[in-house]
Amino acid sequence: MAGEPIVRAKGISKTFSGVRVLNAVDFDIYAGEVHALVGENGAGKSTLVKVIAGVYSPVGGVLSLDGKEVSFRSPHAAREAGIALIHQEPLTFQDLNVTENLYLGHTRGRGRALINWPELHKKADELLESLNVRMRSRDPVRGMTIADQQMIEIASALSQNARVIIMDEPTAALSHGEVQNLFGMIRRLKDQGKAIVFIGHRLDEILEISDKITVLRDGSLVGECSRKDADQDKIVHMMINRTFKELIVKETAPIGDVVLETRGLSYPGDYENINIKVRRGEIVGMAGLVGAGRSEVASAVFGTQPAASGEIFIKGEKVTIKNPAMAMKKGIAMVSEDRARTGLLVAFSIKYNITFAILRKIASRFGFVQNRKEQELVNRYVKYLNIKMRDDNQRVKELSGGNQQKVVIAKWLLTESDVLILDEPTRGIDVGAKMEVYRLINELAKQGKAILMISSELPEIMQLSDRVYVMCDGNITAEFSRAELDGQKIMAAASTGRQRSEAS
Ligand SMILES: Nc1ncnc2c1ncn2[C@@H]1O[C@H](COP(=O)(O)OP(=O)(O)OP(=O)(O)O)[C@@H](O)[C@H]1O
Ligand SMILES: [Mg+2]
C-alpha cells in the first residue's frame, strides 16, 4: 500500500533477563490493512505487539507514529495515541454491565456519581448498533461468551478512537461461527480505514483475513509477503523450513483389547445414549462441530461432570467415576482444550507443574520427593516435547501459549495412564509444535495407550484416527473405520441433526 504507515517499528529488539527474544525486527502497520503476524510458539509475536502497544519498552530500535518517533511509557499512553491491544483472554469486568466495561477507562477517577448514566447507556447502544453487535448496554457481562467479551473490548477501543487494533490470537477460543462473526467485524473496521494486526496459528484463517503476512522465527524477521503471493505451504516453509504435507504422519500400532467402553451414557440436554469403545493402541477420533457434546462426553469419562445415566467400563470392569481423582486412579488422563481447567498453575514453575500430578509416584517410601528422580523425569519430558524455556524453574506464565499447552501434555503423560483423552490437543499450538504433538500421539498409541481424540480440525481427525465417531447435537451420528474415512461424509454426519432440526 502506498503512503506512510500509521505505525512503523524499525529494528525492534527486546530481552528478558538478558535473553534476547526479539532481534532487530521491522514491522509496519498501514490504515485499511489487515497485517497478520505468524510464527511458532515463542517466536516473539506477543512480545512484538506488546512493545508496539506500550506494555514493554524495547532495548533497541525505533517506534514511530505518523512519521514521528514515539516511545510509550505505558499501555495507557499507547491507547491515547490510538493503539489498542485486544487480549486473547478478554480483560472484562464480570460484575459490571456492558456500558461500564466500555467506558471504564475514560470514567476512572472522575467519580461515578457525576456520570450521566442514561446518556452513557445511549451512547453505548449507538456504538454497539453501529458495529452490528447484538448485545445491549445494560446486559451483564457475567455469563457472556469469550466472543462477546472480545466484542466489548473492540468496541471499547473504538470508543477511544483507536486507529490501530491489535488482536493477539483472537480466534483461539472461538467456534467457527464466532470466528466468521469476528471476521465480519474486522472487514468493517478495515473499510473504515482502521489498521488491524492479527496474530494466529490457523493458516486457513490467516489466508482468509489478511492482506499482508509477516513471519517471525526465533525472535527474528523471516520475511513479509502479500496475501496474493502466499499459500499454506509457503508460510509453513517460512515458519519452520518444512512443508505442510510432512506435518501429519500416521504410524500404525498393533490394536488390542477394548480398554475404555461406555454404554448408554446420557446427560439430558448435553448427550444421549453414547456407546463408544477404545482399544489398546487405537486412536479414536471424535469429530463434530463445536457444541455437539463431545467435550461433555469426555467430562463424563474423566469425572469432571459425571453422566446422569449409563455405564463406563475399563478393561471390561465396570467403574464408578465421580471425579477426576477417581478417573486418574482408574488410569484415565485428560488433556483439555482449556488450560485453566486442566489445572495449570501458571504462577508456579514448569518443574512444579509437570510433577504435580505424580508427586505420589516419585515420593519415596518415607514420604519425601526424590529430587534426582523428579529432575530426571522433568528433563526427559521437556526434551521429549521440546518445551522452549529458560530453565525449568521459570514460571509457566512467562511461557508462550503453545509452550504452556505442552506443559499440560507433559504433566498428564507423566501419569502413565492407560486411557488418554485429548480434547482439542493442538488448539493454540503452532504448526511445528503440532507436528511434535502428532508424533507424540502416534508414539503413545504404539506404547499401547487407548486414545480418544476430540478435534474440530478435520485434517487431524482424518490423518491420525484408526476409527472415527461423529457427534451431532448430543448423538453419535456415524462411525467410520480408517478405510471408510471421507471428509465430506464426516461433515455431513456432523451436521445432519442440525439440518433436520432446522428443516422441522
Ligand atoms: N514476561 C516474560 N518474562 C520472561 N520471558 C518472557 C516473557 N514473555 C515472553 N518471554 C519469552 O519470550 C519468548 C517469546 O515469547 P512470546 O510470548 O512473544 O511468543 P509468541 O510468538 O507470542 O508465542 P505463542 O504463539 O506461543 O503465543 C519466549 O521464549 C518466552 O518464553
Ligand atoms: Mg503469543
Side-chain angles (χ1 to χ4, degrees):
M1 188 176 278
E4 276 279 309
I6 300 180
V7 173
R8 166 157 283 171
K10 191 122 191 62
I12 300 294
S13 294
K14 171 74 188 159
T15 55
F16 286 113
S17 345
V19 179
R20 185 167 289 248
V21 299
L22 284 178
N23 194 5
V25 173
D26 297 338
F27 191 74
D28 292 340
I29 308 173
Y30 287 88
E33 204 173 75
V34 179
H35 194 160
L37 188 55
V38 300
E40 289 190 84
N41 295 128
K45 304 177 295 292
S46 297
T47 305
L48 176 61
V49 295
K50 282 178 182 165
V51 166
I52 294 172
V55 179
Y56 299 140
S57 46
V59 294
V62 175
L63 207 59
S64 32
L65 184 69
D66 298 318
K68 280 195 281 298
E69 196 176 321
V70 283
S71 86
F72 301 125
R73 259 168 296 127
S74 66
H76 190 70
R79 272 240 166 176
E80 302 255 281
I83 300 173
L85 175 60
I86 313 289
H87 293 84
Q88 184 185 330
E89 270 109 40
L91 302 171
T92 44
F93 294 86
Q94 299 285 310
D95 292 315
L96 303 181
N97 64 27
V98 172
T99 306
E100 289 166 325
N101 266 287
L102 277 176
Y103 297 107
L104 210 67
H106 324 221
T107 52
R108 194 176 37 207
R110 236 185 265 165
R112 292 171 59 93
L114 299 178
I115 298 167
N116 182 346
W117 285 106
E119 193 181 297
L120 219 48
H121 280 311
K122 189 161 159 264
K123 222 169 106 183
D125 278 326
E126 281 167 13
L127 175 67
L128 294 169
E129 204 157 303
S130 75
L131 292 170
N132 220 346
V133 178
R134 270 166 318 170
M135 69 187 80
R136 308 288 301 171
S137 57
R138 288 180 170 80
D139 293 351
V141 165
R142 185 174 298 283
M144 279 190 182
T145 61
I146 300 259
D148 281 341
Q149 295 183 47
Q150 249 173 19
M151 287 298 166
I152 295 176
E153 281 218 50
I154 295 171
S156 170
L158 294 171
S159 73
Q160 295 174 68
N161 298 318
R163 286 192 296 155
V164 176
I165 298 173
I166 303 172
M167 303 184 188
D168 193 351
E169 296 196 38
T171 62
L174 305 192
S175 69
H176 182 72
E178 290 170 334
V179 169
Q180 286 311 317
N181 193 23
L182 176 71
F183 282 5
M185 167 72 88
I186 291 177
R187 291 192 184 99
R188 290 195 293 279
L189 295 176
K190 189 176 125 170
D191 291 342
Q192 291 167 20
K194 305 288 184 195
I196 314 286
V197 176
F198 183 97
I199 298 179
H201 287 294
R202 302 204 46 176
L203 299 181
D204 50 346
E205 289 179 5
I206 298 288
L207 289 169
E208 179 180 344
I209 198 68
S210 61
D211 299 299
K212 199 186 265 170
I213 301 159
T214 285
V215 182
L216 290 182
R217 194 197 303 154
D218 290 334
S220 297
L221 183 74
V222 179
E224 181 189 285
C225 61
S226 86
R227 163 68 186 89
K228 54 183 194 305
D229 303 325
D231 58 34
Q232 293 219 352
D233 268 330
K234 178 168 175 177
I235 301 173
V236 169
H237 202 79
M238 286 170 85
M239 281 169 63
I240 58 171
N241 261 331
R242 266 192 224 102
T243 61
F244 202 64
K245 287 182 199 69
E246 293 172 68
L247 286 181
I248 317 180
V249 181
K250 165 77 178 170
E251 293 175 45
T252 43
I255 291 175
D257 297 335
V258 173
V259 181
L260 168 71
E261 180 177 358
T262 71
R263 286 188 205 153
L265 279 195
S266 299
Y267 194 98
D270 278 351
Y271 51 85
E272 215 183 294
N273 191 25
I274 302 298
N275 302 301
I276 58 174
K277 283 182 185 154
V278 189
R279 296 179 176 82
R280 190 172 293 285
E282 188 180 37
I283 302 174
V284 174
M286 268 275 221
L289 303 174
V290 173
R294 296 167 301 164
S295 295
E296 287 74 9
V297 170
S299 299
V301 177
F302 193 58
T304 36
Q305 195 200 64
S309 57
E311 297 170 314
I312 299 172
F313 296 83
I314 298 290
K315 296 181 194 163
E317 177 204 343
K318 188 173 162 193
V319 294
T320 309
I321 297 172
K322 289 193 181 133
N323 52 49
M326 291 171 100
M328 282 157 66
K329 256 207 195 109
K330 296 291 173 198
I332 304 171
M334 172 149 127
V335 175
S336 141
E337 58 181 321
D338 178 352
R339 286 193 276 275
R341 214 177 66 202
T342 31
L344 199 59
L345 302 167
V346 293
F348 287 82
S349 72
I350 295 159
K351 184 156 134 188
Y352 182 83
N353 269 282
I354 291 182
T355 49
F356 185 68
I358 47 138
L359 276 181
R360 245 194 327 205
K361 180 174 277 174
I362 53 176
S364 74
R365 274 191 297 141
F366 308 104
F368 55 84
V369 177
Q370 297 174 327
N371 268 321
R372 205 156 53 94
K373 187 105 185 271
E374 173 180 355
Q375 193 60 55
E376 270 170 29
L377 280 169
V378 170
N379 289 349
R380 197 165 92 216
Y381 282 90
V382 160
K383 199 165 152 237
Y384 199 23
L385 290 170
N386 201 3
I387 295 172
K388 293 206 178 93
M389 53 172 200
R390 196 174 59 236
D391 60 62
D392 55 30
N393 289 313
Q394 195 175 358
R395 290 188 298 173
V396 167
K397 70 173 166 206
E398 291 174 7
L399 291 181
S400 71
N403 279 301
Q404 290 189 8
Q405 181 73 345
K406 291 195 223 169
V407 173
V408 176
I409 296 178
K411 181 179 143 177
W412 289 116
L413 288 179
L414 271 167
T415 62
E416 293 176 1
S417 47
D418 300 316
V419 177
L420 194 59
I421 304 172
L422 304 167
D423 192 354
E424 304 286 0
T426 63
R427 179 164 287 176
I429 299 193
D430 67 66
V431 277
K434 265 185 185 173
M435 196 172 58
E436 285 162 24
V437 172
Y438 297 146
R439 177 175 57 80
L440 206 69
I441 294 175
N442 278 319
E443 174 71 31
L444 290 164
K446 271 201 213 153
Q447 285 173 14
K449 291 198 194 300
I451 300 174
L452 182 64
M453 180 181 74
I454 297 173
S455 170
S456 299
E457 292 197 35
L458 206 47
E460 218 164 83
I461 290 274
M462 302 267 300
Q463 289 294 327
L464 289 178
S465 309
D466 293 296
R467 203 151 49 77
V468 173
Y469 291 109
V470 186
M471 274 188 78
C472 178
D473 286 342
N475 293 292
I476 291 181
T477 48
E479 181 184 342
F480 300 104
S481 69
R482 184 168 177 83
E484 296 164 339
L485 280 182
D486 171 335
Q488 296 215 324
K489 281 191 199 150
I490 292 178
M491 287 316 287
S495 46
T496 45
R498 261 164 222 238
Q499 277 162 4
R500 234 185 294 136
S501 60
E502 271 161 27
S504 65

